[in-house]
Amino acid sequence: MLLSATPPPGPRPAQEVRLREEAARHRGLTPPRTHPLASITWLGPAASNPALAYRTTGDRAHLEESRRWIEAAVRLPHWGRAHLPDHDLDAGWLLHHLSLAYRWIGDELPDGVRALLRYKLLLQGRRMYEFAVASEGRWWSSSYWQNHNWICYAGLATAGYVLGKEEWTERAKDNLGTVLDLMPDDGSHAEGVVYWRYGVPFLAIHLDLLKEAEGVDWWERGGFLANTFRYRLHQTAPGFAFNVDHGDCHDRRSGHSAGLYYRLAAQYGIAQAQWMGDLASGELLWQEAAESGVRPGILPEAYLEYLWYDPSVPAARPTETRAFFPDLGLLSARTGWDDDATLVSFKASPGGGHTAWETSAKHRAELGWETLNQGHHHPDSGSFVLISQGAFLAVDEGYSNRKRAAHHNLLLVDGQGYADEDRYHVYKDIPYERQARQRDVLVDAEAGWAHATAEIAAMYDPELGVRRLDRTLVFTPSGRLVLLDLAEAETGREWTFLLQTDRPTEPRPDGSRLIRSGEATALVRQFAPHDASLVCEVTEVEANPTSSTPELRLTRTLHTLRSTAPRSPDGLFLTAITPGAASAGEQIACLEGGGVTFTDAEETVLLSPVTRRIRTSRVSADAAALLTSADAAPFVVRCTRLEMDGHVLLDVPEPYTGKVG
């Protein structure tokens, strides 16, 4: 497919236009004579897209255009300048694209240019290979969950297959097999959506190269690739243009790879991926290209869209509204897919997810290798993002170099976030036992409830003596959020609840706060504690998203609402967030447990995540949660007995989660 430049059969007029436009996009530019200060990844597709356009059209203008960029790349003594020249992303990108160009149009190039290109690919490939061997166990060569690993090895494999260097392709193949075996089966990616769209296409590229060159089909090896579109889909904001920005995300509009969508659609028959591919390469294309902070971005992937689009795959708009990805502890729930729908994304897991955390600990113990190089992870277990009415209401910091829990919708203890935070590799060298996790997960597709409890106490400094810090999040069928935070420590501590927004929240006469973002709004009502002090402050977050371009800086301004309870060994925050509604809900009087009711939506949430005893005038439930809505059967979490209005509805020996009746 890639090496032979042969797409699946059938018409592809839109992809042909995209390829021709991309092939001509740089014609007005003069190729650099010396290496610029910034990254040069874009030089690769500047050569490969016109090379493929020449193969498909025979137009010699495309051949000449490809030659201009090939000559520019091969005369640079090194690929990459500011960070690991010849050994990292710049070199990986150029090895891939210039090797394809050599394969596609090498015979059409003048003898001198062809010989120079071949020599340069051999030189750069050898440099990359030798670095991979020498740095094994220390950096991307064995960082199996990291985009640098996937890109650099895909570049080395492309050059190896084109030039007949079996030593390179075998090493890359061994690494690919390990990656496929170790990536989480649920398809989630701890680096976040932006690095998903940046790195995962190279896994797909490598798989296609392997199948075409060696006849080895590893598309079904492991479960990651078969399920990863579902992960990406559920991190898509309503309206499809934006994305949830857990992990390092340059911005909220850098998440689409139409080429990868098409490849996953073709491989696994995913109609929703075909639909997203059409959307990303059509209606969303130019705005994403203009506003995305990820470079070189979506436009240079025209060659992948052309070669990977399979017109026989039907397209269908997504409909699934709830999903849970256990490896990353990621719960995603939405009211629908329309532009104004409400979405929440809530996560908690060890650094890198359960599989990466467990496996990297084994590598460390058995091999002495550090394979969990997860610089794009954040101290954000227990945090959430809320989007509604086309706007981000409860937000994430996006990208930072000094990562802190205080930049997320989290909790502080005596003003402190996670232990050993405030650095880039926030999980490096921390004890194995320092893990967060989700429990008591309910994902209901029928009525629309979602529930999970994040355990995050282990993430704080042991000197604080935090015995418990559990956040329970409930998403109601109408899109309301209920948060219950329960804390315990060995001695009195000051507990602080944080809510991050794009604009300052506004106080209301009833004690609630209004989140406003453009025309979108949400009411925040904190029912407990009653004596918390509230402060709004500005939080500035700055980051350099790529060491290849040191002068590039990103800044995001967060408006942080801090609710701090008086010092106590115990802490309890009960909070409701109601998007776009006039009512913020009312607290329910409970003999045991706690709860909130939304009268206008006829939805009630009763919680007791620790003692599992809920008692009101109408309800007696031995359960972590009881969730009810009008004219619908109740839902429970870890329930053994439920009695409502004198009627026993459930009485079972083992805890049950789901619909009752």
Side-chain angles (χ1 to χ4, degrees):
M1 188 176 292
L2 286 170
L3 295 172
S4 61
T6 306
R12 60 197 70 250
Q15 289 70 35
E16 290 171 356
V17 171
R18 268 276 288 131
L19 179 61
R20 291 197 300 270
E21 289 180 347
E22 182 60 19
R25 186 163 64 94
H26 298 301
R27 283 185 184 173
L29 294 181
T30 300
R33 303 286 305 176
T34 60
H35 200 306
L37 292 175
S39 169
I40 59 168
T41 54
W42 64 280
L43 292 180
S48 64
N49 278 294
L52 182 59
Y54 172 70
R55 281 284 297 252
T56 61
T57 66
D59 184 345
R60 296 191 67 83
H62 294 311
L63 177 64
E64 293 305 314
E65 178 66 1
S66 181
R67 174 185 166 181
R68 280 203 317 141
W69 295 100
I70 289 171
E71 290 178 324
V74 299
R75 67 174 168 245
L76 299 177
H78 300 283
W79 285 349
R81 178 171 174 179
H83 179 71
L84 290 176
D86 303 321
H87 300 150
D88 205 3
L89 295 177
D90 288 297
W93 273 75
L94 266 63
L95 273 173
H96 168 67
H97 285 277
L98 293 186
S99 295
L100 287 183
Y102 181 81
R103 179 64 168 249
W104 292 340
I105 62 169
D107 292 341
E108 302 288 336
L109 294 172
D111 291 345
V113 176
R114 182 172 64 253
L116 188 56
L117 174 56
R118 179 179 175 81
Y119 168 78
K120 183 64 171 174
L121 291 172
L122 286 168
L123 174 65
Q124 293 294 150
R126 180 173 56 78
R127 289 170 171 173
M128 184 72 86
Y129 173 81
E130 290 177 349
F131 181 81
V133 173
S135 62
E136 190 169 59
R138 295 183 287 114
W139 176 211
W140 62 255
S141 179
S142 46
S143 295
Y144 305 115
W145 302 274
Q146 233 268 0
N147 69 88
H148 291 245
N149 175 286
W150 311 338
I151 294 169
C152 291
Y153 271 121
L156 185 66
T158 315
Y161 287 124
V162 168
L163 301 174
K165 299 292 289 184
E166 187 174 346
E167 192 177 29
W168 302 354
T169 58
E170 282 300 301
R171 182 174 185 84
K173 178 182 173 183
D174 287 346
N175 176 79
L176 178 63
T178 303
V179 169
L180 296 174
D181 292 342
L182 296 183
M183 288 298 290
D185 287 346
D186 64 12
S188 61
H189 183 39
E191 292 189 298
V193 167
V194 168
Y195 282 101
W196 180 92
R197 70 87 55 239
Y198 188 72
V200 176
F202 284 88
L203 289 180
I205 285 168
H206 200 164
L207 283 166
D208 269 4
L209 292 171
L210 182 64
K211 185 175 181 180
E212 186 173 9
E214 300 190 32
V216 176
D217 186 351
W218 279 357
W219 277 96
E220 302 300 328
R221 184 168 177 171
F224 175 76
L225 281 163
N227 295 306
T228 199
F229 173 76
R230 186 168 181 254
Y231 157 76
R232 174 62 189 89
L233 177 66
H234 283 280
Q235 293 293 278
T236 302
F240 299 99
F242 299 96
N243 54 268
V244 175
D245 49 355
H246 294 310
D248 268 345
C249 290
H250 302 60
D251 52 75
R252 299 166 180 164
R253 192 196 281 275
S254 297
H256 289 302
S257 170
L260 180 59
Y261 296 153
Y262 284 144
R263 188 64 190 92
L264 296 174
Q267 183 64 36
Y268 302 113
I270 307 173
Q272 294 76 20
Q274 189 84 341
W275 187 87
M276 287 273 282
D278 291 343
L279 188 71
S281 62
E283 178 183 331
L284 301 181
L285 179 69
W286 288 102
Q287 197 160 7
E288 167 126 353
E291 298 182 9
S292 167
V294 177
R295 293 292 180 264
I298 192 170
L299 291 180
E301 294 179 345
Y303 77 111
L304 293 177
E305 294 170 30
Y306 177 88
L307 292 172
W308 281 351
Y309 173 69
D310 183 347
S312 71
V313 178
R317 185 184 175 91
T319 57
E320 185 183 57
T321 57
R322 306 286 190 278
F324 179 65
F325 301 88
D327 199 88
L328 195 55
L330 179 67
L331 174 71
S332 174
R334 70 184 68 222
T335 57
W337 286 95
D338 55 289
D339 292 358
D340 290 335
T342 299
L343 161 70
V344 69
S345 184
F346 176 46
K347 66 184 294 252
S349 70
H354 289 275
T355 300
W357 190 257
E358 295 291 335
T359 311
S360 63
K362 186 178 297 185
H363 291 157
R364 205 174 293 121
E366 296 177 356
L367 303 173
W369 289 7
E370 185 51 68
T371 56
L372 184 60
N373 192 306
Q374 300 285 11
H376 299 306
H377 297 181
H378 288 210
D380 59 356
S381 282
S383 186
F384 64 96
V385 171
L386 177 67
I387 305 169
S388 183
Q389 308 145 72
F392 284 72
L393 297 175
V395 307
D396 195 276
E397 65 173 345
Y399 212 125
S400 66
N401 293 119
R402 298 181 61 177
K403 298 172 169 61
R404 301 175 59 199
H407 298 166
H408 301 276
N409 295 306
L410 265 175
L411 297 123
L412 305 180
V413 184
D414 280 359
Q416 299 180 38
Y418 286 6
D420 299 314
E421 61 171 23
D422 200 20
R423 56 182 176 150
Y424 188 60
H425 292 278
V426 74
Y427 293 104
K428 185 177 181 181
D429 297 332
I430 68 172
Y432 169 81
E433 296 77 14
R434 196 178 294 168
Q435 302 181 39
R437 73 182 184 104
Q438 294 274 28
R439 72 166 196 266
D440 299 344
V441 176
L442 166 69
V443 179
D444 164 56
E446 177 184 339
W449 291 100
H451 171 288
T453 296
E455 298 179 358
I456 59 175
M459 307 311 295
Y460 293 81
D461 188 340
E463 294 294 322
L464 293 169
V466 181
R467 293 172 173 164
R468 177 185 306 283
L469 199 41
D470 291 354
R471 163 163 287 177
T472 296
L473 179 147
V474 177
F475 185 75
T476 77
S478 67
R480 271 77 164 169
L481 278 192
V482 176
L483 300 166
L484 176 62
D485 299 306
L486 295 177
E488 298 174 15
E490 295 170 357
T491 59
R493 295 295 175 192
E494 192 176 74
W495 309 97
T496 300
F497 170 101
L498 302 176
L499 180 65
Q500 314 287 351
T501 56
D502 283 340
R503 294 168 57 173
T505 57
E506 303 168 16
R508 304 256 297 180
D510 63 356
S512 63
R513 311 281 300 194
L514 181 69
I515 304 173
R516 191 189 300 277
S517 181
E519 297 297 319
T521 60
L523 286 175
V524 182
R525 182 76 177 268
Q526 196 154 72
F527 301 104
H530 300 291
D531 51 357
S533 62
L534 289 180
V535 175
C536 287
E537 59 187 23
V538 172
T539 303
E540 298 281 0
V541 181
E542 188 178 82
N544 164 239
T546 171
S547 52
S548 297
T549 310
E551 70 275 15
L552 178 61
R553 311 299 295 181
L554 302 177
T555 300
R556 182 169 293 182
T557 300
L558 305 174
H559 294 272
T560 307
L561 176 66
R562 301 168 66 100
S563 172
T564 302
R567 183 172 295 273
S568 169
D570 305 309
L572 187 155
F573 295 90
L574 178 61
T575 310
I577 303 179
T578 310
S583 169
E586 299 294 333
Q587 187 173 12
I588 298 174
C590 296
L591 299 173
E592 295 182 76
V596 178
T597 187
F598 302 97
T599 306
D600 54 342
E602 300 185 274
E603 296 170 338
T604 296
V605 175
L606 291 166
L607 300 172
S608 180
V610 177
T611 63
R612 301 211 303 259
R613 284 177 59 86
I614 298 170
R615 300 291 186 268
T616 73
S617 59
R618 292 186 53 215
V619 171
S620 174
D622 296 335
L626 170 62
L627 314 171
T628 63
S629 54
D631 303 324
F635 281 75
V636 293
V637 176
R638 291 189 64 78
C639 181
T640 53
R641 192 173 192 279
L642 173 62
E643 182 178 332
M644 297 180 67
D645 297 325
H647 300 285
V648 177
L649 303 181
L650 183 72
D651 193 352
V652 295
E654 297 297 325
Y656 168 76
T657 296
K659 179 181 174 182
V660 178

